[in-house]
Amino acid sequence: MPKGYWIARVDVHDPEAYKAYVAANGAVFRQYGARFLVRGGQSLTPEGTVRQRNVVLEFPSYADAVACYESAEYQPVKAMRAAASEADIVIIEGYDGPQP
């Protein structure tokens, strides 16, 4: 079964409030088996729009990724993020097929 991913592109406008979101999200992410593959760090955007921060979270499955986002536990945490930043969030199923 392919894994699931959150791809988040974020502009933080209240760094102190965003720190509270970062501190709060770990418990929910652990509950759904998530792990960070990308969490900020150096990046290059040769095409498209730029955001300050890029994050990729891996979940055991697409269903887990969706369930985490929609969970009652994540809703207050999501509200913290929304108050501190503007984000584009994509939830996507991984690819397990043939490679070039």
Side-chain angles (χ1 to χ4, degrees):
M1 172 187 313
K3 295 183 179 188
Y5 299 88
W6 286 15
I7 301 170
R9 299 174 51 245
V10 184
D11 284 336
V12 177
H13 55 75
D14 185 340
E16 289 306 311
Y18 195 80
K19 285 180 188 176
Y21 164 73
V22 170
N25 68 25
V28 179
F29 292 160
R30 275 191 299 279
Q31 181 180 343
Y32 288 88
R35 71 184 195 105
F36 287 95
L37 299 181
V38 174
R39 192 173 194 179
Q42 186 175 341
S43 68
L44 173 67
T45 306
E47 295 185 35
T49 58
V50 176
R51 291 230 186 239
Q52 297 168 337
R53 186 171 176 80
N54 298 290
V55 177
V56 177
L57 274 168
E58 180 182 74
F59 290 82
S61 70
Y62 176 74
D64 290 319
V66 171
C68 181
Y69 187 82
E70 294 177 347
S71 71
E73 298 86 1
Y74 185 64
Q75 298 316 298
V77 178
K78 181 175 92 171
M80 294 169 71
R81 178 185 44 78
S85 65
E86 183 177 333
D88 301 316
I89 310 290
V90 175
I91 301 173
I92 192 166
E93 183 177 47
Y95 177 69
D96 243 355
Q99 298 294 327

